[in-house]
Amino acid sequence: MKTSDKGVIIPQQAFDWYDEYAHGDIDRRTFLSRLATLSAMGVTLAGVTAALTPNYAEAEQVSFNDAAIKATYELFSSPNGYGEGKGYLVLPKAVVDGASAPAVLVAHENRGLNPYIEDVARRLAKAGFIAFAPDALHSLGGYPGNDDDGRTMQRTLERDKIVADFQAAAQFLHAHPSVTGKVGIVGFCFGGYLANELAATIPDHIQAAVPFYGTPPTSDMSQIKGPIMLHFAELDQRVNGTWPDYQMKLDEMQVPYQAFTYAKVNHGFHNDSTARYHEASAELAWQRTLEFFKQHLN
């Protein structure tokens, strides 16, 4: 069991079931009915549901009004995807004043461009990178304001076209007049898969990739150049089961990579809006990520 930041004691089964629900393996009714079976353990359905539901207002680390950054929404062409993409572009103040900087593409989870991912983009800008976070749901009107509807919407999209949209976003960054020519990608959950996928499909446009608990590319891996930094959660059996074969392939191709597994944490441990968040592991993974980008993009 784990006590959440909201004071709710959550059995590990609840995290596992939530992961199944969040990735479409079970529906909401099944998820809630399973949670109801934990009542004998003194766990309330309302308490667990509240703890596992994102609270983005509490999780914001960098304000959109922060004087050290400038954030806008920008459109880009995606002829092989859904025609047009839209993303959240965040510039460091030095870039606003005329400097150039390397860029990082931020790939969201399986629910669209939610406030957590926008905050990640702002954190990158505070660290000196130009950050761009596309919204895969743009063709459907954009992130709807809640994750449940966002997940439902994203399931209706074609994965190959989402990939094409993010490839186009990487090209958009490369063409940005303030970008030095170096572009990396960081992604979380489905975005972790996108980070791996873009490293495989457009290696000349991605100079460094950091997937957080992401599954391997589904495309041909023979073009991967790396470097890649991979973050895994020890309790994330679904994603971790895909790593040995991927690792073997990277080793065979002599792709430079680093892989870290964080003890006793769940899938989604970097997302500070839910009870799956683990502050020490999230901060360590993030500092490693920033240093990795500074090493390979500057």
Side-chain angles (χ1 to χ4, degrees):
M1 288 194 180
K2 175 183 176 181
T3 302
S4 78
D5 294 338
K6 301 176 183 182
V8 178
I9 297 176
I10 305 174
Q12 183 59 40
Q13 301 103 300
F15 288 109
D16 296 338
W17 296 336
Y18 180 81
D19 191 53
E20 290 184 66
Y21 163 62
H23 294 91
D25 297 327
I26 60 175
D27 60 22
R28 181 175 177 80
R29 178 176 294 181
T30 301
F31 171 56
L32 295 178
S33 66
R34 288 183 182 180
L35 287 184
T37 66
L38 301 178
S39 59
M41 302 171 65
V43 178
T44 67
L45 176 61
V48 172
T49 303
L52 291 174
T53 299
N55 187 327
Y56 293 122
E58 291 183 0
E60 183 180 78
Q61 293 189 23
V62 180
S63 169
F64 63 90
N65 284 322
D66 193 302
I69 61 172
K70 180 181 179 181
T72 58
Y73 292 94
E74 303 293 336
L75 299 175
F76 60 94
S77 176
S78 180
N80 296 320
Y82 282 98
E84 178 187 76
K86 184 178 181 179
Y88 186 62
L89 181 67
V90 193
L91 306 179
K93 186 177 185 300
V95 172
V96 176
D97 293 340
S100 58
V104 177
L105 190 66
V106 185
H108 60 66
E109 306 140 310
N110 63 341
R111 61 211 68 175
L113 181 59
N114 60 35
Y116 155 64
I117 296 297
E118 290 190 342
D119 194 57
V120 169
R122 293 193 293 269
R123 296 174 209 175
L124 283 163
K126 286 274 284 189
F129 300 97
I130 294 171
F132 190 52
D135 187 357
L137 303 183
H138 173 61
S139 64
L140 301 176
Y143 175 70
N146 70 85
D147 282 14
D148 280 345
D149 289 346
R151 269 189 293 266
T152 299
M153 292 168 65
Q154 191 158 321
R155 289 189 193 116
T156 70
L157 297 173
E158 297 177 39
R159 183 176 63 184
D160 288 349
K161 287 193 174 184
I162 294 177
V163 171
D165 280 348
F166 275 79
Q167 291 171 336
Q171 293 163 357
F172 166 83
L173 273 183
H174 264 281
H176 192 285
S178 297
V179 173
T180 58
K182 294 289 187 70
V183 174
I185 182 171
V186 61
F188 306 86
C189 184
F190 176 76
Y193 156 74
L194 287 174
N196 284 319
E197 182 72 6
L198 266 62
T201 55
I202 53 169
D204 292 335
H205 286 87
I206 297 295
Q207 280 71 49
V210 182
F212 276 73
Y213 27 84
T215 53
T218 52
S219 298
D220 177 20
M221 300 184 198
S222 63
Q223 300 304 310
I224 298 178
K225 297 178 180 178
I228 304 174
M229 175 178 280
L230 307 101
H231 300 296
F232 297 100
E234 183 184 31
L235 302 178
D236 186 5
Q237 297 180 16
R238 179 184 61 85
V239 170
N240 294 351
T242 68
W243 170 233
D245 288 344
Y246 187 24
Q247 182 179 28
M248 185 180 304
K249 186 68 175 178
L250 295 176
D251 286 337
E252 288 175 358
M253 297 171 54
Q254 299 184 338
V255 174
Y257 72 86
Q258 297 172 270
F260 300 99
T261 298
Y262 299 84
K264 299 180 181 180
V265 299
N266 285 280
H267 181 94
F269 70 85
H270 184 268
N271 187 332
D272 50 357
S273 68
T274 80
R276 296 188 298 174
Y277 174 60
H278 189 273
E279 183 176 4
S281 298
E283 288 301 314
L284 176 57
W286 189 243
Q287 289 307 312
R288 284 171 168 167
T289 297
L290 292 179
E291 290 303 316
F292 181 76
F293 282 143
K294 288 175 183 177
Q295 176 184 354
H296 296 289
L297 300 182
N298 282 332

